[in-house]
Amino acid sequence: MEGIEEQRVCVKFCFKLGKSSSETFELLQQAFGNDVLSWTTCFEWFKRFKEGRTSVKDNERPGRPSTSKTNETVARVREIIRNNHRLTIREVAEDVGIYYGSCQEILTKELGMSRIAAKFVPRLLTDEQKQNRKTIAQELFERSESDQDFLKNIITVHREWVPQGQTVNQHYYLEVMKRLRENVRKKRPDSWKSGSWMLHHDNAPAHSSLLIRQFLAKNQTPVVPQPPYSPDLAPCDFFLFPKLKSTLKGRRFQTIDDIKQNTEIDLKDIPISAYQECFQKWKRRWQRCIDSQGDYFEGMTELCTSDRGAYDTVHMIMALPLIPGNKINKGFTSIQIFYEENIKLTLSNESQEKFETFFQYYRTTWLTGVYTNMLSVSGTVWRTNNVLEISHQHLKMHIGSNHQPEPR
C-alpha cells in the first residue's frame, strides 16, 4: 500500500477543510484507487484528528513483539471476522495492526477458517454462534408473542433492480435506504407517522457498514437483528428466493429485460396470503432455533451436524467430482455400500428416509447423461467448473441451505 502516512495527511487535510468522513474516504478512493486505506482505518484516523490529534505517525512502541499471535490479537481478529465475514485479509490485518502473513496464519490455523465463496466461514457453528442465534431468536419470538403488531411492522423486502455493472456497496445501498424511506412514507403513512416500522436486512457488508448504521441511527430507524450465518432465519432466503427460483427454473431468456419482466410477473403473482404465511413461518423458525439450542434445524443439516457418519457420507458425495468422470458412478455406488454397511442402522427411520431421498435425488439429477464427465475436475488446474458450482449449490439447498463445507 503506497504512502500510509501520506494518506493520513490527506485525511487530516480533508478534516481541516470541513469534509465529512464519508466524503474523505471517497476522495481517498479517487486518489489512491486499490491502494486506499480501508474505510475503518480512514474513519479511525478522521476521528483522531477530530478529537485533537495532530501527528500522522504511529504512536511510539517500545519494540515490536516477537509474534503477532497473542491471545488478544487472535480474539480481535475473531471479533472482526464475526462481525463482517466478507472482509479481505488485508483489511483485517490493517485494522488489527499486524502483517498480512500473520493475519492469514491466525485465520487459517488459530481460528480454523478457510475462504469459501469469497467469505470466511466456520466448518460448523461455534458455541458462541449458536448462543447468538438462540438469543436473537428468543428475543424476536418473545416480542412477537407480547406485541401482536410486531410482525406487521417489519419491512424486509424492498424491490428494485441494480443497474448493470453497479456494485452494491455502502454508498449505493445508502441511496436504496433513502428510496425505501420515501416509499414507506408514501405507502405506509400510518407507520411512518407513528415511527412503528422496523427494517430487517442481513449482514452483508453494505448493510452493516458504519455509513449505513449512522444513517439509520440518525433517522431513528430500528433494525430487527439478524444473526450471522443464518439464512434459515431470513425470509428472503427461506421463502422469496426459493419461490422465484422454482418458477424461473428451466426457462430460457434472451435478454436481461426478459428476466426482469418475468421476475416482476412472478413477484406480482405471489398472493398477500403467502407473505403473511411466510412471516408466521418466520416466527415458527425462531421457535425451532430455540429448541435446537441455536443449531441449524432444517433439511439434513441437523443430522449432518449431530452424526459424524452422516456428515462423512455427504462429504464423500460432494468430493466425487475430484475423481475421473468415468469413475464417478462407481464411486457413488461405493459410498452407498459404505452407508448401508456402516451408517444406516445407526440412524432413525426418519433419517434413513432422508438419506434415501438424497441418494435418489443425486443419482437421477447428476449421474445421468453427460453430467458425470462435466462434473469431474480431475486433473484440472482449477478445481471447479460451472456445472460443479451449480451441483454444489443444489446439494446445499437439498441438504439444508446452511450446511457449511469442511475447511480445506
Side-chain angles (χ1 to χ4, degrees):
M1 175 180 293
E2 72 173 79
I4 291 180
E5 286 190 7
E6 179 185 358
Q7 294 193 48
R8 293 174 185 171
V9 171
C10 294
V11 173
K12 183 178 179 181
F13 181 73
C14 289
F15 166 71
K16 293 286 188 180
L17 288 178
K19 301 290 185 182
S20 67
S21 56
S22 298
E23 292 172 329
T24 299
F25 183 67
E26 289 179 356
L27 291 172
L28 285 180
Q29 283 183 310
Q30 294 176 22
F32 295 97
N34 293 333
D35 291 325
V36 69
L37 293 171
S38 70
W39 160 253
T40 305
T41 303
C42 175
F43 178 78
E44 179 61 30
W45 278 93
F46 189 94
K47 181 182 177 184
R48 291 176 187 177
F49 295 134
K50 188 175 182 180
E51 291 173 347
R53 183 179 179 122
T54 57
S55 174
V56 298
K57 297 184 178 296
D58 290 318
N59 294 330
E60 291 187 6
R61 303 175 184 176
R64 182 178 293 277
S66 58
T67 177
S68 298
K69 293 192 297 181
T70 63
N71 292 336
E72 293 77 10
T73 303
V74 172
R76 176 66 177 145
V77 172
R78 180 189 293 111
E79 180 65 18
I80 289 175
I81 288 295
R82 187 177 70 84
N83 290 333
N84 186 353
H85 52 269
R86 291 177 173 83
L87 287 173
T88 64
I89 297 177
R90 180 182 68 82
E91 289 172 329
V92 177
E94 189 177 286
D95 288 348
V96 179
I98 58 178
Y99 289 118
Y100 178 97
S102 299
C103 183
Q104 186 178 42
E105 190 171 352
I106 289 174
L107 288 166
T108 55
K109 294 184 178 180
E110 299 293 329
L111 301 180
M113 294 182 172
S114 62
R115 187 164 283 281
I116 304 293
K119 63 181 179 181
F120 281 103
V121 296
R123 172 171 174 246
L124 297 173
L125 288 173
T126 64
D127 290 339
E128 181 183 9
Q129 290 164 344
K130 291 178 185 177
Q131 184 58 49
N132 187 36
R133 278 168 52 90
K134 180 183 176 182
T135 300
I136 292 177
Q138 184 80 51
E139 174 193 340
L140 297 178
F141 183 81
E142 290 177 354
R143 289 178 68 179
S144 66
E145 287 285 281
S146 60
D147 181 1
Q148 62 180 1
D149 293 327
F150 176 66
L151 289 172
K152 297 178 183 178
N153 290 328
I154 298 177
I155 294 178
T156 188
V157 177
H158 173 64
R159 184 178 83 247
E160 65 175 68
W161 293 98
V162 179
Q164 278 187 268
Q166 171 66 54
T167 301
V168 183
N169 54 30
Q170 57 183 341
H171 304 290
Y172 177 80
Y173 194 63
L174 177 63
E175 298 305 314
V176 173
M177 288 293 95
K178 291 177 180 178
R179 291 191 287 273
L180 170 62
R181 285 177 52 82
E182 181 61 20
N183 284 337
V184 173
R185 186 185 69 81
K186 292 179 179 178
K187 298 178 180 180
R188 299 179 66 169
D190 293 339
S191 297
W192 176 265
K193 291 179 181 178
S194 64
S196 59
W197 71 282
M198 295 169 283
L199 173 68
H200 175 266
H201 54 191
D202 63 18
N203 298 295
H207 303 174
S208 56
S209 66
L210 180 61
L211 179 66
I212 298 302
R213 286 186 277 122
Q214 288 177 333
F215 173 79
L216 295 175
K218 178 182 177 181
N219 290 281
Q220 299 180 334
T221 304
V223 178
V224 178
Q226 169 68 19
Y229 308 108
S230 301
D232 55 339
L233 299 176
C236 285
D237 286 301
F238 71 74
F239 165 73
L240 185 61
F241 296 154
K243 199 170 189 67
L244 287 176
K245 287 178 182 178
S246 66
T247 57
L248 296 173
K249 182 180 178 181
R251 296 160 62 184
R252 291 183 176 273
F253 303 101
Q254 298 299 319
T255 65
I256 292 178
D257 287 337
D258 288 342
I259 297 175
K260 291 180 179 180
Q261 183 179 358
N262 281 273
T263 302
E264 290 284 355
I265 292 172
D266 290 338
L267 277 171
K268 292 176 181 178
D269 285 343
I270 300 176
I272 294 177
S273 59
Y275 288 105
Q276 293 171 337
E277 175 59 22
C278 162
F279 271 57
Q280 292 306 312
K281 286 182 179 178
W282 194 11
K283 181 178 177 180
R284 292 195 291 271
R285 282 171 175 263
W286 293 333
Q287 183 62 65
R288 291 175 67 187
C289 181
I290 297 167
D291 293 341
S292 64
Q293 301 300 308
D295 211 340
Y296 295 133
F297 52 80
E298 62 178 358
M300 288 173 63
T301 304
E302 185 176 1
L303 175 59
C304 289
T305 56
S306 62
D307 188 281
R308 183 70 203 191
Y311 180 87
D312 288 341
T313 302
V314 170
H315 272 260
M316 283 190 286
I317 290 177
M318 296 187 76
L320 281 173
L322 296 176
I323 64 178
N326 60 358
K327 296 183 178 180
I328 288 181
N329 267 289
K330 185 176 180 180
F332 180 76
T333 301
S334 298
I335 294 172
Q336 281 190 299
I337 293 173
F338 167 82
Y339 165 78
E340 293 284 345
E341 294 179 348
N342 300 280
I343 309 300
K344 183 175 180 178
L345 295 180
T346 67
L347 303 177
S348 66
N349 291 335
E350 180 183 359
S351 297
Q352 290 181 25
E353 290 177 3
K354 288 182 179 179
F355 258 105
E356 292 304 320
T357 302
F358 176 58
F359 282 135
Q360 180 66 21
Y361 154 78
Y362 193 84
R363 180 175 290 282
T364 57
T365 305
W366 300 106
L367 301 186
T368 57
V370 298
Y371 275 128
T372 50
N373 287 323
M374 294 175 68
L375 272 178
S376 177
V377 292
S378 175
T380 62
V381 176
W382 300 104
R383 290 301 181 95
T384 188
N385 59 44
N386 289 341
V387 175
L388 178 56
E389 293 290 340
I390 294 170
S391 169
H392 276 188
Q393 287 296 325
H394 281 245
L395 272 178
K396 287 188 282 186
M397 289 173 61
H398 192 87
I399 294 168
S401 59
N402 312 295
H403 177 70
Q404 300 289 359
E406 188 173 9
R408 297 185 290 238

